[in-house]
Amino acid sequence: MTRKAFFSFHYERDIWRACQVRNCWVTKPDRETAGFWDKASWEEIKRKGDESVKAWIRKQLDGTSVTVVLIGNETSNRKYVIYEIQQSHVRGNGIFGIYIHNQKDCNGNSDTKGNNPFDQLYIERDGRRVYLAEIYPTYDWKWDEGYDNIAIWIEKAAKAAGR
């Protein structure tokens, strides 16, 4: 089944790495093989202020079943990434993270591994804090063979969320 996925990432620092992941379907025989459609048109966003950005994020999440958080060195510090994760959780999207620091940027450089943004977000369940890191898995694009497995990860996340 084809899924609509929203990709959350730190634009300025990780766009080159994010594009490698987001566009991996280009080398597949067809988009169906990749197992997802990318709904976010991040090229079109204009930062017109906090509320405009949040409205754009909510609109981009409409119709998606999975949110893929691409984790680079500074991702966990980005307020809009945190907002995207929170909104995705509230909407019931399947969610997972992929570490992308090993991917090369446009200058051929990899980066250092960043913190898991799921470690700082939690929900209350049975009187205790349950961190999203306990709920949502993370993978490494390079070491977990993301090119070959992203469709499986997306489908698994969607099913875990009942979508």
Side-chain angles (χ1 to χ4, degrees):
M1 172 182 228
T2 301
R3 303 288 183 180
K4 289 185 179 178
F6 177 85
F7 287 83
S8 175
F9 57 94
H10 176 192
Y11 184 86
E12 291 84 10
R13 186 172 182 125
D14 293 324
I15 185 63
W16 193 270
R17 292 177 187 91
C19 282
Q20 293 173 54
V21 174
R22 295 177 66 214
N23 294 326
C24 71
W25 62 267
V26 171
T27 58
K28 304 279 184 174
D30 59 52
R31 290 180 182 192
E32 297 287 326
T33 302
F36 63 90
W37 289 94
D38 178 8
K39 183 140 164 73
S41 299
W42 46 265
E43 297 92 350
E44 299 173 13
I45 190 169
K46 305 257 189 240
R47 296 201 184 265
K48 297 178 183 174
D50 201 47
E51 288 309 311
S52 293
V53 173
K54 288 179 177 181
W56 181 86
I57 290 167
R58 290 189 302 271
K59 183 175 181 194
Q60 293 304 305
L61 283 167
D62 286 346
T64 64
S65 55
V66 174
T67 297
V68 182
V69 182
L70 302 178
I71 307 169
N73 180 271
E74 298 177 355
T75 305
S76 66
N77 301 326
R78 308 307 296 175
K79 73 177 178 179
Y80 294 127
V81 169
I82 299 305
Y83 183 76
E84 290 163 351
I85 294 168
Q86 292 169 328
Q87 288 298 301
S88 297
H89 178 80
V90 168
R91 289 170 183 251
N93 273 17
I95 302 173
F96 66 96
I98 302 175
Y99 287 98
I100 60 171
H101 64 285
N102 285 314
Q103 294 303 106
K104 306 253 191 249
D105 65 13
C106 61
N107 298 313
N109 299 316
S110 58
D111 206 350
T112 54
K113 187 174 183 177
N115 295 325
N116 182 347
F118 303 146
D119 284 339
Q120 63 191 27
L121 300 169
Y122 64 89
I123 59 171
E124 294 285 336
R125 185 183 289 162
D126 299 326
R128 76 171 191 94
R129 288 183 178 178
V130 177
Y131 285 86
L132 297 190
E134 298 174 56
I135 301 169
Y136 301 126
T138 57
Y139 307 95
D140 184 285
W141 182 256
K142 180 178 179 180
W143 301 116
D144 294 323
E145 301 177 353
Y147 177 82
D148 293 324
N149 291 313
I150 191 167
I152 294 166
W153 299 338
I154 288 172
E155 187 62 24
K156 185 177 174 181
K159 286 183 177 176
R163 298 217 166 210

